[in-house]
């Protein structure tokens, strides 16, 4: 029986390899998209869980210190949780009332500042602008603001729903944190027993590396927050603004929320200075806040996180950008620790296997 005729043309082997790799990438991309979609649907559960893990990493140090001195796990967890909540409540009591009192006088100060700016634009600026042009621009801004408010009814309703969901998530995070601090070692031991014996050591290595990476992230955020608080607080003190200590505490706490937290803290510092000292001191604080935040975001944050987490600064920047694009605010907050956890765990596992006989 004669052989079947061979085709006169066949794809080049390179084309076949490229096609195979492209097909694999498509499958991996589709699977990744499905995973991200599922995670997005479970955000109301996953985000409190992640917050609880962060809080547990910070509270595990004092709770472990108490357990090492003979305290029962429940008593150590309860004392640690109550102590941390009391510290937070004391900080809020220290920050909130002075800020509210200062902002009561913000309206007249803002009006005076706007009038000063208008006088400078009309009388001293190099631009050919009349008082009527400035008033017309103000009327346009007011009209646009009114239109935005009229169209924002749905946004208000959505914001109320988001606030309710946030409160529920915060309550869930507190409950999870208590049980993780209390029963964390028991839970780890239970997971270890349920794993196959040939996988237990790998999981232990990954867990230790992830725990260390999360601690490095928290230390890096604390260092950045301390730096921003000192610089912005020093600028406020130099121009004679009040509430320096509350704003410094708020700036330190906001550093644990990358980009957004620093922006909000800087805006509050400018507003407090505006209310207490007027327009030009507020402009000085604004310049200092923008400068230190740009320095932190573009140079210090990648360098500090890179040192603490053994990540390259480019990896830090790209992870924040990707997390923000994929998951918004939650992605911005979690991008660096998640990336650090994955990279550090993979590196630790690879080193262990290479060093094994």
């Amino acid at each position: 029986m004669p052989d079947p005729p061979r085709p006169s043309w066949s794809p080049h082997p390179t084309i076949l390899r490229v096609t195979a790799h492209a097909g694999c990438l498509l499958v991996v991309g589709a699977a990744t998209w499905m995973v991200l979609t599922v995670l997005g649907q479970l955000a109301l559960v996953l985000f409190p869980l992640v917050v609880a893990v962060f809080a547990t990493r910070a509270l595990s140090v004092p709770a472990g210190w108490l357990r090492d001195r003979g305290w029962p796990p429940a008593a150590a967890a309860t004392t640690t949780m109550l102590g941390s909540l009391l510290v937070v409540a004391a900080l809020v009591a220290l920050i909130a009332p002075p800020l509210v009192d200062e902002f009561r006088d913000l309206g007249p100060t803002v009006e005076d500042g706007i009038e000063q700016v208008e006088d400078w634009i009309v009388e001293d600026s190099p631009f050919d602008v009349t008082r009527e042009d400035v008033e017309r621009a103000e009327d346009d801004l007011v009209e646009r603001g009114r239109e935005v408010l009229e169209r924002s009814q749905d946004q208000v309703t959505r914001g109320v729903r988001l606030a309710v969901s946030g409160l529920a998530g915060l309550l869930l995070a507190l409950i999870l944190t208590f049980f993780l601090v209390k029963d964390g070692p028991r839970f780890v031991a239970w997971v270890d027993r349920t794993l196959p014996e040939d996988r237990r050591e790998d999981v232990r290595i990954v867990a230790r590396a992830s725990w260390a990476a999360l601690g490095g992230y928290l230390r890096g955020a604390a260092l950045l927050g301390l730096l921003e608080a000192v610089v912005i607080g020093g600028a406020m003190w130099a121009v004679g603004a009040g509430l320096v200590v509350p704003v410094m505490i708020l700036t330190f706490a906001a550093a644990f929320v990358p980009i957004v937290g620093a922006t909000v803290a800087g805006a509050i510092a400018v507003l407090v200075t505006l209310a207490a000292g007027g327009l030009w001191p507020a402009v000085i604080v604004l310049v200092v806040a923008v400068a230190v935040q740009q320095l932190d975001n573009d140079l210090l944050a990648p360098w500090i996180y890179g040192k603490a987490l053994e990540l390259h600064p480019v990896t830090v920047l790209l992870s924040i950008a990707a997390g923000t694009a994929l998951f918004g605010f939650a992605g911005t907050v979690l991008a660096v620790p998640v990336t650090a956890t994955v990279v550090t765990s993979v590196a630790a596992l690879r080193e262990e296997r290479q060093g094994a006989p």
Side-chain angles (χ1 to χ4, degrees):
M1 183 175 181
D3 294 335
R6 295 182 177 180
S8 58
W9 178 86
S10 60
H12 193 275
T14 302
I15 297 178
L16 294 177
R17 287 196 296 270
V18 171
T19 304
H21 288 302
C24 292
L25 288 176
L26 288 175
V27 173
V28 171
T32 303
W33 178 80
M34 293 176 63
V35 171
L36 294 177
T37 302
V38 173
L39 292 178
Q41 296 296 322
L42 297 176
L44 293 178
V45 177
L46 291 178
F47 194 68
L49 177 61
V50 173
V51 172
V53 172
F54 275 56
T56 302
R57 182 63 181 92
L59 299 179
S60 62
V61 177
W65 184 83
L66 292 175
R67 284 198 299 269
D68 292 340
R69 280 151 182 79
W71 285 52
T78 302
T79 303
T80 304
M81 288 287 296
L82 290 177
S84 62
L85 291 176
L86 287 176
V87 170
V88 173
L91 292 177
V92 172
L94 176 64
I95 295 173
L99 289 179
V100 172
D101 292 338
E102 197 74 23
F103 285 163
R104 288 176 181 173
D105 300 329
L106 185 60
T109 306
V110 171
E111 293 178 0
D112 294 340
I114 293 175
E115 291 178 359
Q116 294 178 28
V117 172
E118 290 178 1
D119 294 338
W120 178 83
I121 292 175
V122 175
E123 299 173 2
D124 301 326
S125 72
F127 307 107
D128 186 14
V129 179
T130 63
R131 183 75 62 178
E132 289 75 13
D133 295 332
V134 174
E135 293 177 354
R136 192 179 304 112
E138 289 182 354
D139 294 337
D140 292 339
L141 288 176
V142 172
E143 184 64 27
R144 291 180 182 272
R146 185 180 296 109
E147 292 177 357
V148 170
L149 290 176
E150 291 175 354
R151 293 195 302 265
S152 63
Q153 298 300 323
D154 295 338
Q155 297 294 332
V156 172
T157 303
R158 190 176 305 171
V160 172
R161 294 177 181 174
L162 184 61
V164 173
S165 300
L167 290 176
L170 179 61
L171 179 60
L172 178 60
L174 290 175
I175 296 173
L176 291 174
T177 301
F178 172 78
F179 284 107
L180 288 176
V181 173
K182 172 180 175 291
D183 298 325
R186 292 174 54 191
F187 178 74
V188 171
W190 174 79
V191 172
D192 189 73
R193 290 194 303 268
T194 58
L195 292 172
E197 292 187 4
D198 58 340
R199 296 295 182 185
R200 289 179 182 177
E201 187 60 30
D202 291 343
V203 174
R204 292 169 186 166
I205 294 171
V206 170
R208 287 195 295 266
S210 302
W211 199 244
L214 186 56
Y217 168 77
L218 294 177
R219 289 190 297 272
L223 183 58
L224 283 175
L226 180 62
L227 177 62
E228 292 180 358
V230 170
V231 174
I232 294 178
M236 294 179 62
W237 175 81
V239 299
L243 304 181
V244 175
V245 174
V247 172
M248 289 179 65
I249 296 174
L250 184 63
T251 303
F252 174 80
F256 291 89
V257 182
I259 300 176
V260 177
T263 302
V264 173
I268 292 176
V270 172
L271 291 176
V272 169
T273 307
L274 179 63
L279 176 62
W280 297 116
V283 171
I284 295 174
V285 173
L286 174 62
V287 172
V288 172
V290 171
V292 70
Q293 289 171 14
Q294 290 301 316
L295 180 65
D296 284 354
N297 294 334
D298 298 336
L299 179 62
L300 293 180
W303 184 77
I304 290 176
Y305 284 139
K307 290 293 184 181
L309 306 177
E310 299 182 358
L311 291 178
H312 194 276
V314 174
T315 304
V316 176
L317 290 174
L318 292 179
S319 65
I320 292 176
T324 304
L326 290 173
F327 298 105
F329 174 74
T332 302
V333 176
L334 302 178
V336 175
V338 169
T339 302
T341 299
V342 173
V343 172
T344 305
S345 301
V346 172
L349 192 59
R350 184 188 301 114
E351 291 177 2
E352 180 67 21
R353 291 182 175 177
Q354 290 177 350

